[in-house]
């Protein structure tokens, strides 16, 4: 009986709406694509509501599909505006999980200057990712906005709707008119190379801009009058095309411009064309959502008189809006969830996160479980589809593991130069093989080739399903140890080669960090390269125990806005020199950081302590250095060498311009105040005293690592100035 009453009410609403539309000219709304520029559509909708212009059908492409589909499904403009303005666009457009939520294993490599792009390795060779930006955050946002709308026909939405996408295989236009609204919107806005393609019913789709970026023709049958909103980016002038990014943007405009012109030619004299004056706002300007929406509002002024001719009286418009509200879909609880098979992550581990003791019943609960699973770093996206199973509402969950997993290959480089004439270049490689067994074993390898070269390997094995683990590791390295005189001249140089193995046992602290205790053995050889005095080669064996721990909750180790980092190690070992002395050696290393952002300025405080502590006389070699960019700026790299060093530093920086998400996070302007000291210097046996320093820099957080152009000064021997070019993580 209840279903019969509900059906009757819906039918009555449909008849009533159709009757009202029959008494006036039907209005169709066309919302074009344009990335962030498409947020102007929200302002246009707000003004149409103010003018009481009813909309009888909507067609949209890309951002136009996003705004049009959400509005057509019944969400009020005011609510949509709030959700778009409050959205964390930085997080959505980077596509990465919140770093503070990642398991520590997933962020161990963040302090190495590895490029953001990750490749896969399998029996067929090396595989590149299909997109630069992960779509999980966008998918999540769409799920919230669409409220699980999945209907036989989008004509049954409060306002009939169509979304335009491009079939990736055939290149033909595909119009979404039914099914899962979130999937339709994602497909319509899947910019190739930026977001991954969308698969639906065995077909693959990308952004609809390539076939019909302003879908006027889609509404010719349902509307007597068309209101078309074109937010496309204008073609660049010749003098504005300066970089490969400009060339790519212009090529995109050429690809879409022709179909837009064809669609605009279909507009008749009674139709209305709206062109928001979006100026320099780019398709990536999502952070300027509020301002873009206001531009959309202002764009109504030139055509307001014409739109008033289409307006309804206040009472009639209120009835029309109320009838739309009765047809708006409502969220319903889930009776059950089903998890699809996985490719390399054990499905029982996935189910443990998604189902737990109490399976999620609501969309909010389900999306929170998705967040937890996505934060593992093993998945490109986690989505779901709804189905009716004999009256039960079932969410079929589709966890899609990383397309390049489970074996990951990354590359990077480091480059630094200063005006003292010092330079250093290194190539980096990182290979990780994950999920080698059901407990999550990993084999990790790091290679560095340059002036200082090193190969590290580690087999990491969780002990069952507990937080305890075993780690067996080894390394081979060859480093250049430089010794400088007080005036900055390099007077000695040694090549230090070493090989070592270690066995650690540890406790994982989840996303916070880890603790380790283990034993190690290392053999090193020191061979003189240059110098006025001649030293014999030194061969040293070191064996002992070590303890280390890390707490890492920085949101971004390059230019952190908030969070903290505390990492340290202590080694107690017996050192034996071939044909020489022997004794106990104690070495420690401490790194501490804390960051916070006030208004637009971020402040980062750092403490570094490294070196030999409490050792017997004549045991050990100098191991602590200071000097270089942000480490007593003004000096050359590692200019000061001694038994122990300490550095205190405060940095302040602000973002002065964002970058396209596919290039990095932004450009920063900043500076630092520094103070440091070195004990028992190598040549002189004396300590330096506390040395003040400072720097100023422009930094760019790129996908290839942080890039700095800076200058610095340190009060050492009358004062030292230097300028720096630095690509890499500045410790």
């Amino acid at each position: 009986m209840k279903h019969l009453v509900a059906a009757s009410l819906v039918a009555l609403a449909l008849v009533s709406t159709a009757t009202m539309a029959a008494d006036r000219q039907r209005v169709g709304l066309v919302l074009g694509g344009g990335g962030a520029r498409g947020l102007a559509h929200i302002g246009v909708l707000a003004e149409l509501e103010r003018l009481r212009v009813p909309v009888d059908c909507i067609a949209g492409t890309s951002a136009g599909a996003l705004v049009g589909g959400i509005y057509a499904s019944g969400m009020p403009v005011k609510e949509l505006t709030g959700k778009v303005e409050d959205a964390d666009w930085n997080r959505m457009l980077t596509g990465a999980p919140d770093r503070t939520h990642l398991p520590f294993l997933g962020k161990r490599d963040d302090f190495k200057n590895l490029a953001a792009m990750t490749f896969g390795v399998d029996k067929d060779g090396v595989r590149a990712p299909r997109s630069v930006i992960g779509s999980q955050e966008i998918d999540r946002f769409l799920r919230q906005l669409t409220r699980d709308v999945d209907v036989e026909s989008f004509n049954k939405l409060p306002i009939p709707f169509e979304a335009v996408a491009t079939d990736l295989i055939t290149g033909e236009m595909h119009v979404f008119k039914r099914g899962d609204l979130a999937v339709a919107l994602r497909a319509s806005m899947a910019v190739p190379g930026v977001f991954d393609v969308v698969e639906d019913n065995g077909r693959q789709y990308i952004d609809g801009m390539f076939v019909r970026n302003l879908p006027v023709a889609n509404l010719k049958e349902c509307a007597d009058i068309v209101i078309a909103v074109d937010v496309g980016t204008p073609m660049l002038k010749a003098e504005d095309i300066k970089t490969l990014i400009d060339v790519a943007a212009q090529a995109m405009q050429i690809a879409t411009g022709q179909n837009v012109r064809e669609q605009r030619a279909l507009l008749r004299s009674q139709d209305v064309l709206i062109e928001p004056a979006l100026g320099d706002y780019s398709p990536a300007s999502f952070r300027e959502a509020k301002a873009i929406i206001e531009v959309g509002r202002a764009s109504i002024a030139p055509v307001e008189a014409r739109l008033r001719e289409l307006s309804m009286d206040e009472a009639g418009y209120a009835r029309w809006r109320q009838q739309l509200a009765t047809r708006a879909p409502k969220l319903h609880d889930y009776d059950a969830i089903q998890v699809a098979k996985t490719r390399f992550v054990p499905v029982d581990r996935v189910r443990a996160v998604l189902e737990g003791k109490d399976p999620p019943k609501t969309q909010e609960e389900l999306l929170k479980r998705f967040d937890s699973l996505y934060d593992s770093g093993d998945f490109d996206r986690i989505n779901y589809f709804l189905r009716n199973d004999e009256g039960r509402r079932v969410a079929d969950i589709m966890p899609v593991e990383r397309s390049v997993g489970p074996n990951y290959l990354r590359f990077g480089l480091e480059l630094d130069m200063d005006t003292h004439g010092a330079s250093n270049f290194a190539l980096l490689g990182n290979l990780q093989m994950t999920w080698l067994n059901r407990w999550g074993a990993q084999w990790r390898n790091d290679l560095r080739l340059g002036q200082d070269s090193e190969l590290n390997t580690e087999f990491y094995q969780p002990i069952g399903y507990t937080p305890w683990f075993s780690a067996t590791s080894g390394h081979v390295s060859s480093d250049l140890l430089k010794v400088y005189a007080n005036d900055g001249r390099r007077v000695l140089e040694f090549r230090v080669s070493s090989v070592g193995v270690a066995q650690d046992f540890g406790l994982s602290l989840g996303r916070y960090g880890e603790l380790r205790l283990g034993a190690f053995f290392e053999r090193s050889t020191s061979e003189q390269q240059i110098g006025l005095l001649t030293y014999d080669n030194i061969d040293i064996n070191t064996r002992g125990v070590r303890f280390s721990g890390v707490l890492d909750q920085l949101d971004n180790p390059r230019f952190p806005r908030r969070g903290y980092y505390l990492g340290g190690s202590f080694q107690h070992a017996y050192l034996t020199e071939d044909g020489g002395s022997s004794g106990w050696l104690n070495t420690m290393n401490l790194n501490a950081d804390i960051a916070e952002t006030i208004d637009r300025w971020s402040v980062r405080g750092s403490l570094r302590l490294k070196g030999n502590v409490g050792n017997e006389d004549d045991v050990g070699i100098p191991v602590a250095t200071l000097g270089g960019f942000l480490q007593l700026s003004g000096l050359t790299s590692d200019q000061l060498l001694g038994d122990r060093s300490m550095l205190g530093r405060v940095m302040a920086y602000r973002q002065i311009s964002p970058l396209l998400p596919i290039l990095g996070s932004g450009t920063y302007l900043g500076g630092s105040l520094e103070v440091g000291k070195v004990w028992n210097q190598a040549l002189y046996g004396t300590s330096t005293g506390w040395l003040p320093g400072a720097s100023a820099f422009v930094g760019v957080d790129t996908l290839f690592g942080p890039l700095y152009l800076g200058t610095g000064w340190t009060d050492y021997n009358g004062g030292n100035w230097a300028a720096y070019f630095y690509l890499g993580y500045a410790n």
Side-chain angles (χ1 to χ4, degrees), residues 58-312:
I58 300 175
T61 300
S62 198
L66 169 66
V67 174
I70 303 303
Y71 185 71
S73 70
M75 180 174 287
V77 170
K78 185 176 181 179
E79 182 179 353
L80 176 57
T81 301
K83 289 184 179 297
V84 168
E85 291 181 352
D86 294 340
D88 187 347
W89 290 105
N90 282 329
R91 182 176 178 184
M92 282 197 286
L93 294 176
T94 57
D98 184 338
R99 185 179 183 275
T100 61
H101 294 166
L102 285 174
F104 176 68
L105 278 180
K107 50 191 177 186
R108 275 176 57 181
D109 298 324
D110 290 353
F111 295 90
K112 303 165 188 170
N113 201 53
L114 297 168
M117 180 171 288
T118 301
F119 298 89
V121 181
D122 59 19
K123 59 183 177 59
D124 296 322
V126 177
R127 289 178 290 110
R130 296 199 304 182
S131 64
V132 175
I133 298 174
S135 65
Q136 179 63 24
E137 296 300 327
I138 292 289
D139 289 344
R140 189 187 198 283
F141 188 54
L142 290 177
R143 282 293 175 193
Q144 289 179 310
L145 293 179
T146 56
R147 296 158 296 178
D148 283 349
V149 171
D150 191 338
V151 291
E152 296 177 0
S153 171
F154 289 163
N155 286 333
K156 293 184 178 181
L157 296 176
I159 300 175
F161 170 72
E162 294 183 359
V164 176
T166 304
D167 189 306
L168 180 61
I169 306 304
T170 66
E172 298 175 348
M173 180 176 66
H174 178 81
V175 181
F176 282 89
K177 298 182 179 181
R178 63 181 62 83
D180 191 321
L181 181 60
V183 171
L185 303 188
R186 259 286 286 122
S188 184
M189 58 189 290
V191 181
V194 179
F195 295 112
D196 199 358
V197 301
V198 172
E199 298 183 14
D200 185 52
N201 292 323
R203 300 175 70 180
Q204 298 182 352
Y205 300 102
I206 58 174
D207 198 300
M209 64 179 169
F210 297 104
V211 287
R212 191 171 287 177
N213 202 40
L214 189 70
V216 174
N218 292 60
L219 297 187
K220 283 302 181 180
E221 293 184 4
C222 82
D224 301 309
I225 295 174
V226 170
I227 300 173
V229 188
D230 187 356
V231 294
T233 305
M235 298 283 285
L236 294 174
K237 297 179 181 178
E239 59 269 22
D240 295 327
I241 302 177
K242 301 176 181 178
T243 69
L244 61 89
I245 302 300
D246 298 330
V247 173
Q250 187 78 333
M252 192 76 74
Q253 297 310 314
I254 294 172
T256 60
Q258 181 62 37
N259 71 64
V260 170
R261 288 190 291 273
E262 291 173 354
Q263 292 299 299
R264 287 178 59 146
L266 298 177
L267 294 173
R268 302 155 301 183
S269 58
Q270 69 266 35
D271 296 330
V272 181
L273 176 63
I274 299 173
E275 297 179 280
L278 290 163
D280 293 332
Y281 291 114
S282 77
S285 299
F286 286 95
R287 301 173 184 88
E288 307 296 331
K290 188 172 184 178
I292 293 174
I293 291 172
E294 288 305 311
V295 172
R297 287 179 178 272
S299 68
I300 293 296
V303 294
E304 182 168 336
R306 169 66 180 121
L307 292 175
R308 286 189 180 278
E309 297 174 7
L310 306 177
S311 66
M312 299 176 66

